[in-house]
Amino acid sequence: MTASDAVAPSPKQLTREEQQETKILELKALLKGDEGRTAGDQLVQGGELISAAELCSDKLLHKWLRARGWDVQKAYNSILKHAAWRVTNMPNGIVEPSTIANELACDKAFIQGVDRKGRPLLIIQVRKHNGWTRTLGELERFCCFLLDACAKGAADHPEINPRGQLCALLDLTDMGAVSMDIAAIKTLFQLLGEHYVERLGAMYFWNPSYLFWGAWNTLSPLLPEPTRNKIKVIDPATQAHQLHELIDPSVLPVEYGGQAALGVALGK
């Protein structure tokens, strides 16, 4: 049989890796157009990329395709939407601290080294959050500030954290009604789903109160299953070992059963 007689394999005959490579090439071809070039420039101005050419890197395209179920058109549309959002919200490449002054003044967020997988450990002490006085716009910018800081920290450990993910610990100790902010949690998960795709590696809710469970039972069914699978609720009295398995005691603050002192709040 000659080469002309051979039948090209159908997509179903390709291996999983070959199918994924085909999808990456299709997305890369779409992004070579005018809209894709504009998106690359927007992401450079927005501080996410060093050069526009990075937009077509296999690593970045794989991330967006994985987040969109390997649907090329959905991934393409999501990238364009994200790039426009990024340059609109961060035209100077960063979240300006002056635009989140009220949130920074609460001293509620810390980056405490990295976990055993090289993921920056973001600790948020929820009791310091005031859901009654915050503005949602400033809160969203603050979340972006935190996520960008984690992304920068993750870039220092590519050998063990190639996806640049983070580990979040939300400390619910002594949380009162003023701090129970469902809109804030929704905002965080929306950002993770639409603009910081594949960044969340693990999330722990530490020491939940009865206030938390009512909100969580309402919110959790709305989250995508892959996201829910990354979240654990920990009772310090019986489940602290789950946290210790992931985070070395030399990194984990004493408040959570570790040996380290809690660092300085972000923005200080």
Side-chain angles (χ1 to χ4, degrees):
M1 179 169 58
T2 65
S4 60
D5 295 326
V7 178
S10 68
K12 291 184 178 179
Q13 294 174 304
L14 297 176
T15 66
R16 179 183 178 184
E17 290 74 18
E18 289 170 335
Q19 291 180 44
Q20 291 179 353
E21 180 62 28
T22 298
K23 298 283 188 180
I24 290 173
L25 292 174
E26 290 175 7
L27 181 54
K28 190 175 296 187
L30 286 176
L31 290 168
K32 294 293 185 181
D34 291 342
E35 290 182 324
R37 286 191 289 271
T38 297
D41 292 339
Q42 289 173 328
L43 291 173
V44 171
Q45 183 181 342
E48 186 169 324
L49 302 181
I50 301 298
S51 70
E54 292 179 57
L55 179 59
C56 287
S57 67
D58 286 0
K59 180 180 179 180
L60 189 147
L61 300 185
H62 193 280
K63 176 181 72 172
W64 279 97
L65 283 165
R66 189 168 55 239
R68 296 298 178 260
W70 292 93
D71 185 308
V72 173
Q73 193 61 50
K74 285 184 178 179
Y76 176 69
N77 292 340
S78 294
I79 290 172
L80 298 185
K81 181 180 178 182
H82 165 66
W85 170 88
R86 181 85 193 189
V87 76
T88 298
N89 288 275
M90 284 157 260
N92 298 320
I94 62 170
V95 176
E96 299 288 353
S98 61
T99 68
I100 54 173
N102 294 318
E103 293 295 330
L104 290 174
C106 296
D107 294 343
K108 59 187 172 185
F110 309 79
I111 293 183
Q112 186 80 13
V114 297
D115 68 11
R116 298 183 192 276
K117 296 184 178 182
R119 302 177 298 199
L121 173 59
L122 173 64
I123 298 176
I124 299 177
Q125 295 180 331
V126 178
R127 67 180 178 275
K128 297 179 180 179
H129 173 72
N130 191 322
W132 296 351
T133 61
R134 62 100 179 109
T135 63
L136 204 54
E138 183 176 6
L139 178 66
E140 180 175 330
R141 291 191 296 274
F142 180 62
C143 289
C144 293
F145 177 83
L146 299 181
L147 294 171
D148 281 351
C150 287
K152 184 177 180 180
D156 295 333
H157 304 275
E159 67 288 347
I160 56 174
N161 185 12
R163 294 187 181 182
Q165 294 184 320
L166 65 96
C167 175
L169 171 61
L170 277 67
D171 180 3
L172 307 181
T173 303
D174 297 330
M175 181 189 72
V178 67
S179 301
M180 185 65 257
D181 192 345
I182 295 178
I185 295 295
K186 286 183 176 180
T187 295
L188 175 59
F189 281 117
Q190 182 176 4
L191 286 169
L192 287 167
E194 296 183 5
H195 302 296
Y196 294 86
V197 298
E198 299 285 297
R199 286 293 186 189
L200 182 63
M203 178 177 284
Y204 294 91
F205 288 104
W206 173 269
N207 201 16
S209 68
Y210 72 93
L211 287 173
F212 165 81
W213 286 110
W216 183 241
N217 290 336
T218 299
L219 180 61
S220 60
L222 304 178
L223 298 175
E225 184 177 355
T227 300
R228 287 200 308 273
N229 291 340
K230 296 177 181 180
I231 299 171
K232 293 183 179 180
V233 181
I234 295 185
D235 178 350
T238 60
Q239 300 170 306
H241 66 279
Q242 296 183 29
L243 196 62
H244 303 159
E245 290 170 0
L246 181 66
I247 305 167
D248 191 276
S250 65
V251 173
L252 194 64
V254 172
E255 294 92 323
Y256 312 109
Q259 302 168 357
L262 185 64
V264 178
L266 282 168
K268 296 298 182 184

